[in-house]
Amino acid sequence: MNEYPSAFLNRMQAMLGAEYTDFLECMEQPSIRGIRLNPVKCDEKKLKNGLDFNIELSPFSPYSYQIPEAAGKPGGIPLHHAGAFYSQEPSAASAVTILNPQPGEKILDLCAAPGGKSTQIAALLNGKGLLWSNEVVRSRATVLLSNMERMGVSNAVISSCHPETLCEKLAGYFDRILVDAPCSGEGMFRRDAQAVQDWSEEHVKTCAVRQGLILDSAAHALKENGILVYSTCTFSSEENEDTVKAFLERHPNFVLEDSGVSFGRPGIEMPQARRIFPMDGGDGHFVAKMRKISPTVCYVTDYPFTKFAAEHDVKALYDQIFQVPIKGFFIQSGSSILIAPQLTPALSGLGVIRAGVMLGEILKGRIEPAHALFLASLPQELRQIVDFSSHSAEIRAYLHGEELEVDSARKGYTGVAVDGVVAGFGKCSSGRLKNRYPKGLRSHI
Ligand code: SAM
């Protein structure tokens, strides 16, 4: 029997009654493992071909699959390097399924690192609209950025800002907001020993107070008729239904809406919300969907796009690499050149660490293209591409950082794909592809 705090078990027994024995049995089983397809870059057929284990579609999202307990670590698979999928326990996809983002909308993910839900939202937006992914802890925001880059997200702003500041400055701006709140993590106990260690009744109370404050901030940033989804990965009612009830009491301009899904089970005395217990085939999750019904005023202005000195050279480099028009605007930030989304608002004072896709860096008067630029590209958009099978020695060699032999007619920057999914790039000359796969990401297997 795993060692769970007795106060936690007592609370679960009081909550579950006759189902408590089933709960205990499930808590002895390993947590379900899963991956989520990135439909922007890959499809199910290619994904299955690139894996050396079977996958089974889960009920929690049309792109989430259960993988066998014995499957090796998916992180070393070439398609993972290429951003074709994200490792995520399937029931963790439930909050974004309920959020139901629509292409073209403006979405805020307020507590976003490491990016499981942000990358899922981005996939559903399919490059249309704007995703603002915020993570207050700066070191965690860096991990968020690297996951968003790997998944090829092109229409996101990534920030590390306090929710109160961010939501005041972006008041009335968003169509949908996800608050996947920091919580006591009871739903993660099966696979996170630290969450078990950190648990106490006091911690549950502290989390509930913090959750209320984050929700209060989020309320400002939503437009009239906008959707606010609140989710946690914990079982305690204090952090779930009670937090939602207290929020609705403080904000009569919000109403609960039905979650619109059939997986899991209704919330406790809150049929519109959704709970997932291990007995429902997942870890532990709670999701509630609310709508703002009051009129809002939004003072957010557009990003002041202006011409800059290097723009001509940037355009020339872009045209050298791509055979399709740019989707967005070039902007310069220090020595970085970015392709910012069409909808980018004014960004100052919001802790922004990335707007759109990094095109490259100005180094000694020339522009060096960025790895992220290629990850955010489809093969048909690039002028030059070399494509290797998932099972080939060449793609392994590329991901190790080795030079590759290529057709001697190839010259200049060339995308490198695995089964048609762009994983990076290199520079071709004299029949060799010089490897530009970033050193820190290279595969060691
Ligand atoms: N949505 C993420 C995902 O799917 O990958 C997981 C988010 S995690 C449950 C909650 C996040 O909230 C953590 O990254 C944590 O650093 C952040 N956080 C902690 N304190 C916070 C606060 N006071 N306001 C906003 N976010 C906070």
Side-chain angles (χ1 to χ4, degrees):
M1 174 76 178
N2 286 324
E3 280 296 314
Y4 297 121
S6 56
F8 162 71
L9 292 175
N10 291 341
R11 291 157 68 103
M12 292 311 295
Q13 187 165 22
M15 181 187 288
L16 292 169
E19 249 192 311
Y20 180 62
T21 319
D22 286 354
F23 172 76
L24 283 185
E25 255 173 46
C26 290
M27 291 298 278
E28 286 302 296
Q29 305 300 318
S31 176
I32 289 168
R33 299 181 63 201
I35 58 175
R36 204 190 62 249
L37 170 71
N38 181 2
V40 177
K41 297 196 73 171
C42 189
D43 59 34
E44 189 187 76
K45 192 168 166 223
K46 282 185 199 165
L47 178 67
K48 285 184 169 170
N49 174 56
L51 301 175
D52 52 11
F53 47 79
N54 290 326
I55 56 175
E56 199 183 314
L57 196 60
S58 92
F60 303 104
S61 111
Y63 302 114
S64 291
Y65 300 83
Q66 186 170 337
I67 70 172
E69 200 194 321
K73 283 195 175 160
I77 295 170
L79 278 178
H80 184 269
H81 285 263
F85 68 90
Y86 190 96
S87 291
Q88 185 189 51
E89 183 273 309
S91 68
S94 52
V96 174
T97 301
I98 291 171
L99 183 71
N100 194 19
Q102 299 297 311
E105 288 183 335
K106 298 189 195 98
I107 315 276
L108 171 62
D109 183 2
L110 193 51
C111 312
K117 297 183 182 65
S118 266
T119 54
Q120 187 185 355
I121 295 170
L124 296 172
L125 289 181
N126 193 16
K128 297 172 195 78
L130 185 88
L131 167 60
W132 191 300
S133 300
N134 181 67
E135 167 56 46
V136 70
V137 179
R138 186 61 176 78
S139 57
R140 290 176 60 81
T142 308
V143 180
L144 168 67
L145 172 60
S146 105
N147 278 324
M148 296 284 271
E149 284 191 340
R150 185 174 60 80
M151 300 296 275
V153 180
S154 58
N155 58 329
V157 172
I158 297 164
S159 64
S160 184
C161 190
H162 195 279
E164 198 179 331
T165 312
L166 186 78
C167 294
E168 260 174 31
K169 291 207 174 180
L170 296 174
Y173 185 65
F174 292 100
D175 296 291
R176 294 176 205 253
I177 299 180
L178 175 65
V179 172
D180 186 36
C183 67
S184 61
E186 296 163 350
M188 302 295 115
F189 276 7
R190 289 192 296 185
R191 58 191 165 99
D192 184 356
Q194 192 58 49
V196 181
Q197 286 282 309
D198 293 345
W199 191 90
S200 68
E201 305 246 10
E202 209 43 49
H203 186 42
V204 169
K205 284 189 198 131
T206 314
C207 287
V209 171
R210 186 167 52 195
Q211 289 151 357
L213 293 171
I214 299 172
L215 278 172
D216 288 347
S217 296
H220 289 297
L222 205 57
K223 61 169 67 155
E224 182 177 6
N225 263 320
I227 295 291
L228 173 60
V229 165
Y230 172 70
S231 62
T232 72
C233 57
T234 207
F235 302 119
S236 74
S237 303
E238 291 98 315
E239 297 178 68
N240 294 326
E241 289 89 349
D242 294 356
T243 293
V244 170
K245 271 186 225 148
F247 172 80
L248 291 170
E249 274 163 25
R250 291 194 301 279
H251 299 267
N253 58 332
F254 277 76
V255 290
L256 254 183
E257 286 214 339
D258 191 82
S259 61
V261 296
S262 55
F263 53 68
R265 59 178 76 189
I268 297 170
E269 292 171 23
M270 191 175 274
Q272 303 92 332
R274 224 61 200 164
R275 269 183 179 263
I276 298 163
F277 284 96
M279 302 82 85
D280 305 317
D283 278 334
H285 294 282
F286 171 85
V287 189
K289 178 176 169 185
M290 294 165 270
R291 187 183 291 274
K292 186 174 185 173
I293 52 173
S294 58
T296 49
V297 186
C298 178
Y299 296 106
V300 177
T301 53
D302 291 339
Y303 184 85
F305 291 102
T306 47
K307 294 248 167 245
F308 54 94
E311 195 157 340
H312 183 263
D313 295 344
V314 170
K315 174 92 175 64
L317 176 66
Y318 181 89
D319 289 338
Q320 200 184 315
I321 297 172
F322 290 94
Q323 51 187 356
V324 289
I326 173 185
K327 289 177 255 164
F329 294 91
F330 297 126
I331 58 175
Q332 181 171 0
S333 167
S335 61
S336 301
I337 305 293
L338 304 159
I339 303 177
Q342 303 267 5
L343 287 176
T344 307
L347 302 173
S348 68
L350 295 173
V352 171
I353 54 178
R354 176 63 47 84
V357 177
M358 174 82 112
L359 179 138
E361 200 81 48
I362 304 179
L363 293 170
K364 296 182 191 154
R366 46 179 288 281
I367 306 155
E368 177 63 28
H371 176 61
L373 177 68
F374 285 83
L375 281 173
S377 311
L378 298 173
Q380 63 271 24
E381 294 171 346
L382 297 171
R383 289 196 188 274
Q384 297 200 91
I385 183 96
V386 285
D387 193 2
F388 300 113
S389 150
S390 263
H391 309 287
S392 65
E394 286 91 342
I395 196 66
R396 296 266 164 199
Y398 174 72
L399 296 171
H400 272 106
E402 292 166 30
E403 254 186 53
L404 299 178
E405 201 174 310
V406 288
D407 183 341
S408 58
R410 288 190 185 276
K411 300 255 172 302
Y413 297 116
T414 302
V416 177
V418 43
D419 287 341
V421 185
V422 182
F425 78 111
K427 193 171 185 186
C428 293
S429 73
S430 314
R432 309 291 296 165
L433 179 131
K434 297 230 169 63
N435 198 311
R436 297 293 172 91
Y437 198 71
K439 288 198 171 66
L441 300 176
R442 286 181 188 173
S443 164
H444 301 294
I445 50 167

